[in-house]
Amino acid sequence: MKDEYWLNRVAKTQNAISDKTIADVEKQLKKHYRNAMKKVIKEFESVYDKILNTVERGKAITPADLYKLETYWSMQAQLKREMQKLGDKEIELLSKAFEKEYYHVYLSALPDIKPSKHFNTIAAETAKQVVNQVWLADGKSFSERVWKNTKVLTETLNEELMHCIATGKKTSELKGILQHRFGVSYSRADTLVRTEVAHIQTQAAKDRYKDAGLKHYRFYADPDERTCSECKEVHNKTFLYSEMIPGVNAPPMHPNDRCCIVPVVED
């Protein structure tokens, strides 16, 4: 009972740190997405109104009509700039937040044991390595997945523009569709944040326990996740740090995972 209370406290402490990191990132990320959305939609609406007013009433509008507009190419250049700015800001925001996450989880993992006297000098470099390492099967770092998301958003926005032209939707309808697409992209970005935080939390705890001379860890499932078959299967099981594999015997087992690892202290 005493061990269970202590392990639960360790897990809650780690998750509290991660929850704060996620909340802080979400606040800033929403702001960046909102600003980009306002600018991009304004450009799209201007072009859409232009094409509706330019083409002869009653005549079907084609992409060729759109390509003839100088404002269309101006809008495309603006879209590219906004997506570049959004990606740059997102990567800068996440890099700083993830590095702080590593540092805070490491220090909190074994609060009663002082870390190595060399920790402060190597922490920054270690955190950068963990944050930028490739750990998923897709072979991409978190920054590469950020750029993939912005690329998909760019392509989707243009596809929706063409679809609205082909189906003759109103400008107000176009705006609603574009807002929805930005929302979908933000949700993907948020999932990326939560999953990366779970990974960094696990790696920081692993490094802390190993540095303290421990060899085993226990998979500790978040109470809200015990209905998840993947997490339930490994909950409370013990593994060697040398055999740790995220997604197999360590968090994150899936996107948005809130599970963590806790130390096994041998006598």
Side-chain angles (χ1 to χ4, degrees):
M1 182 68 71
K2 184 178 179 181
D3 285 347
E4 190 65 25
Y5 166 79
W6 181 71
L7 293 176
N8 186 51
R9 190 184 73 174
V10 171
K12 282 187 174 180
T13 299
Q14 289 187 33
N15 284 336
I17 293 170
S18 296
D19 287 345
K20 185 178 186 308
T21 297
I22 291 169
D24 290 344
V25 168
E26 284 179 337
K27 183 178 180 180
Q28 293 299 315
L29 197 57
K30 284 178 182 178
K31 179 181 176 182
H32 294 324
Y33 263 81
R34 187 164 52 246
N35 290 340
M37 182 179 70
K38 286 180 180 179
K39 293 178 181 178
V40 168
I41 289 180
K42 182 179 179 181
E43 291 290 326
F44 270 64
E45 285 181 316
S46 176
V47 170
Y48 200 68
D49 285 338
K50 185 82 171 179
I51 190 69
L52 292 180
N53 294 329
T54 301
V55 176
E56 185 179 336
R57 186 180 297 274
K59 178 186 173 184
I61 304 172
T62 67
D65 296 316
L66 186 64
Y67 299 152
K68 293 175 184 177
L69 295 178
E70 192 174 314
T71 51
Y72 170 76
W73 300 108
S74 175
M75 179 268 287
Q76 287 296 316
Q78 179 67 16
L79 174 62
K80 184 177 180 180
R81 286 193 295 270
E82 288 302 326
M83 292 299 100
Q84 181 69 42
K85 285 166 58 179
L86 178 61
D88 288 338
K89 289 179 179 179
E90 187 173 347
I91 290 171
E92 181 182 9
L93 170 65
L94 301 191
S95 294
K96 291 179 180 178
F98 291 164
E99 288 172 22
K100 287 182 180 179
E101 169 78 6
Y102 178 91
Y103 187 84
H104 290 314
V105 170
Y106 185 100
L107 291 179
S108 70
L110 291 174
D112 298 328
I113 302 177
K114 289 185 178 181
S116 164
K117 63 181 181 180
H118 303 297
F119 172 70
N120 285 331
T121 57
I122 66 173
E125 187 59 35
T126 303
K128 286 183 186 298
Q129 291 176 358
V130 171
V131 168
N132 293 296
Q133 69 183 184
V134 174
W135 62 277
L136 283 172
D138 63 3
K140 291 182 173 61
S141 63
F142 92 88
S143 59
E144 289 175 308
R145 289 198 293 280
V146 167
W147 288 122
K148 180 181 177 181
N149 192 29
T150 56
K151 180 182 178 182
V152 170
L153 176 58
T154 301
E155 293 172 350
T156 304
L157 293 175
N158 279 316
E159 287 171 2
E160 293 293 4
L161 174 63
M162 295 302 177
H163 176 72
C164 286
I165 287 175
T167 55
K169 295 194 181 301
K170 298 177 181 178
T171 305
S172 58
E173 293 177 298
L174 170 67
K175 180 178 180 179
I177 291 171
L178 298 181
Q179 288 175 330
H180 171 70
R181 286 304 177 184
F182 265 96
V184 171
S185 184
Y186 171 79
S187 295
R188 288 175 180 154
D190 188 51
T191 296
L192 184 154
V193 170
R194 292 172 178 273
T195 307
E196 287 292 329
V197 165
H199 166 66
I200 293 163
Q201 180 191 58
T202 298
Q203 292 303 307
K206 170 189 173 182
D207 290 347
R208 180 67 167 117
Y209 302 147
K210 285 184 67 179
D211 290 348
L214 304 182
K215 296 181 179 179
H216 297 84
Y217 68 92
R218 185 188 299 182
F219 188 104
Y220 200 82
D222 182 79
D224 295 336
E225 299 213 33
R226 299 214 178 156
T227 54
C228 165
S229 59
E230 298 136 304
C231 298
K232 187 175 182 180
E233 187 176 343
V234 290
H235 175 61
N236 265 333
K237 289 187 177 180
T238 299
F239 304 95
L240 284 166
Y241 290 109
S242 59
E243 298 176 356
M244 176 186 284
I245 303 175
V248 176
N249 57 16
M253 298 291 288
H254 51 77
N256 298 317
D257 193 358
R258 282 179 47 82
C259 299
C260 65
I261 63 170
V262 291
V264 174
V265 182
E266 294 87 354
D267 292 335

